[in-house]
Amino acid sequence: MKILFLGDVMGRAGRTAVAERLPALRRDWGLDFVVVNGENATSGMGLSGAHAKALLEAGADCITLGDHAFDQRDMLQFIEREKRILRPLNFAKDAPGRGAAVFTATGGRKILVAQVLGQIFMKRPFADPFSDIDALLRAHPRGGMVAASLVDMHCEATSEKMAMGHFCDGRASVVVGTHTHVPTADAQILPKGTGFQSDAGMCGDYNSVIGMEKAEPMRRFVTGMPKGRFTPALEEATVSGLYVETDDRTGETTRIEMVRQGGRLAQAGP
Ligand SMILES: [Fe+2]
Ligand SMILES: [Fe+2]
C-alpha cells in the first residue's frame, strides 16, 4: 500500500499548499491512502468543520488532530458527524469523537489509523499513550484484519517519539511524529519493519517560528514581553511529511521517503 502522511497543516498557507498539491501527488505517486494532520489548519489553532471539509476534498482520507483538537468549538460536534477525523486516543475521557479507526484504502484494503499524545513537556498531563497503543495494536495485528496500520505520535520530545517507534516496531506499519512542526532527518525502517520518522514537519511557511509570523514569538523570546497575538505566516508553504510503501500481507514498511514539496525547504519526495 502506498501511504502519504502530511504533518500539521498550518493556517491558510498550509491549507492552500495542500489543496494545490495533494490532488497531483495522489495521482502522480499512485497513493492508496492519505492521512493529514489538521490540528493547526484554522488560524494555527485547531480545525473548523469548513476547513476539515476542504482538506478532505483536497484528498485526505483521514485527518488527525492533536493537543489543539478542540480549539475551534464547532469541532466538538463536527467530529461526531465526520468519522474521517480522529482526535488523540488519550485526549480526555469525555472527549467527543474517536482516537482510532479502521479505514478502507484502494482495493478494499483495511488500514488502522490512531493518534496519541505524549506526556513530556505537554501543556496538560495526558494519560499514558503506551498502554492505549498496546491494547489497540493487540486488537489489530498488522497483516491480519488490517493490511497496514499507522500511529501518529503527537508530542514534543523526540525521545518519547523514538520510544513509541520502537514500542510499535513489528506491530504497526508506520509510526510518525507530529506537533513540533520541524521535520527530522531520521526516516527509517526499524529492525522489525515499522516505518518511522520522529517528526513529519508542518505543511506551512518555514519563514516563521514554527509556522507563526516570526515578529511576535521573537519579541517574546528576546524581551520576555508579549505585545500582540500569534498569527500564521502566509508565504508559500512547504508540504512536509512521509511517504511509505507497505507489504499488504505482512504489514511491514518496505520503502520510506521523506516528503518536502514547494516553499522554502530543500525538496524531497519518492
Ligand atoms: Fe501542531
Ligand atoms: Fe500539537
Side-chain angles (χ1 to χ4, degrees), residues 143-156:
M145 292 292 283
V146 295
S149 55
L150 182 148
V151 175
D152 172 352
M153 176 60 168
H154 194 83
C155 68
E156 202 73 50

Side-chain angles (χ1 to χ4, degrees), residues 10-17 20 202-208 211-214 231-239 262-264:
M10 186 65 197
R12 192 200 316 153
R15 298 195 312 269
T16 301
E20 285 178 359
M202 66 173 167
C203 298
D205 172 7
Y206 281 81
N207 179 19
S208 67
M212 292 295 182
E213 277 295 347
K214 58 201 177 194
T231 55
L234 292 174
E235 289 170 31
E236 187 190 347
T238 302
V239 168
R264 305 181 67 82

Side-chain angles (χ1 to χ4, degrees), residues 4-26 31 34-41 47 51-63 201-205 235-241 259 261-263:
L4 177 67
F5 181 90
L6 297 181
D8 309 38
V9 176
M10 186 65 197
R12 192 200 316 153
R15 298 195 312 269
T16 301
V18 170
E20 285 178 359
R21 290 179 180 272
L22 184 52
L25 297 183
R26 269 205 92 111
L31 300 173
V34 175
V35 182
V36 176
N37 184 301
E39 76 148 359
N40 307 109
L47 177 66
H51 292 157
K53 278 184 194 159
L55 293 176
L56 293 165
E57 275 165 23
D61 296 301
C62 168
I63 298 174
M202 66 173 167
C203 298
D205 172 7
E235 289 170 31
E236 187 190 347
T238 302
V239 168
S240 303
V259 171
Q261 300 278 310

Side-chain angles (χ1 to χ4, degrees), residues 87-96 117 124 126:
R87 44 82 173 162
L89 260 179
N90 56 341
F91 188 88
K93 274 204 176 59
D94 298 331
L117 288 157
R124 288 200 289 128
F126 296 108

Side-chain angles (χ1 to χ4, degrees), residues 7-270:
D8 309 38
V9 176
M10 186 65 197
R12 192 200 316 153
R15 298 195 312 269
T16 301
V18 170
E20 285 178 359
R21 290 179 180 272
L22 184 52
L25 297 183
R26 269 205 92 111
R27 185 184 64 237
D28 296 348
W29 295 350
L31 300 173
D32 297 305
F33 199 78
V34 175
V35 182
V36 176
N37 184 301
E39 76 148 359
N40 307 109
T42 301
S43 310
M45 302 291 173
L47 177 66
S48 67
H51 292 157
K53 278 184 194 159
L55 293 176
L56 293 165
E57 275 165 23
D61 296 301
C62 168
I63 298 174
T64 54
L65 294 170
D67 52 311
H68 290 287
F70 301 110
D71 286 5
Q72 300 293 321
R73 297 189 59 82
D74 73 332
M75 186 51 66
L76 290 163
Q77 285 85 42
F78 195 81
I79 197 169
E80 300 277 25
R81 295 206 311 272
E82 179 47 79
K83 303 295 185 193
R84 290 175 288 178
I85 303 177
L86 300 177
R87 44 82 173 162
L89 260 179
N90 56 341
F91 188 88
K93 274 204 176 59
D94 298 331
R98 302 178 295 170
V102 175
F103 296 88
T104 304
T106 58
R109 291 168 290 178
K110 300 296 180 192
I111 176 169
L112 170 73
V113 182
Q115 182 182 52
V116 280
L117 288 157
Q119 296 180 297
I120 300 177
F121 308 138
M122 300 300 282
K123 57 193 164 208
R124 288 200 289 128
F126 296 108
D128 170 25
F130 291 91
S131 58
D132 282 355
I133 285 293
D134 186 54
L136 185 73
L137 294 180
R138 281 179 196 281
H140 299 86
R142 182 180 82 175
M145 292 292 283
V146 295
S149 55
L150 182 148
V151 175
D152 172 352
M153 176 60 168
H154 194 83
C155 68
E156 202 73 50
T158 45
S159 55
E160 197 175 14
K161 288 170 169 169
M162 293 186 93
M164 182 59 80
H166 290 294
F167 186 72
C168 297
D169 189 19
R171 302 199 288 163
S173 304
V174 185
V175 175
V176 59
T178 52
H179 179 72
T180 68
H181 294 198
V182 179
T184 56
D186 63 341
Q188 61 182 300
I189 300 173
L190 297 175
K192 294 176 190 160
T194 295
F196 175 75
Q197 184 179 9
S198 291
D199 204 290
M202 66 173 167
C203 298
D205 172 7
Y206 281 81
N207 179 19
S208 67
V209 174
I210 62 169
M212 292 295 182
E213 277 295 347
K214 58 201 177 194
E216 179 61 19
M218 287 177 67
R219 182 183 299 118
R220 294 189 195 188
F221 278 117
V222 173
T223 71
M225 291 175 280
K227 191 172 169 195
R229 287 154 45 97
F230 288 144
T231 55
L234 292 174
E235 289 170 31
E236 187 190 347
T238 302
V239 168
S240 303
L242 187 62
Y243 167 88
V244 299
E245 294 178 7
T246 63
D247 182 316
D248 291 337
R249 195 176 46 80
T250 64
E252 288 179 33
T253 285
T254 54
R255 181 181 175 196
I256 187 162
E257 305 286 350
M258 293 192 282
V259 171
R260 296 185 301 272
Q261 300 278 310
R264 305 181 67 82
L265 292 195
Q267 302 292 286

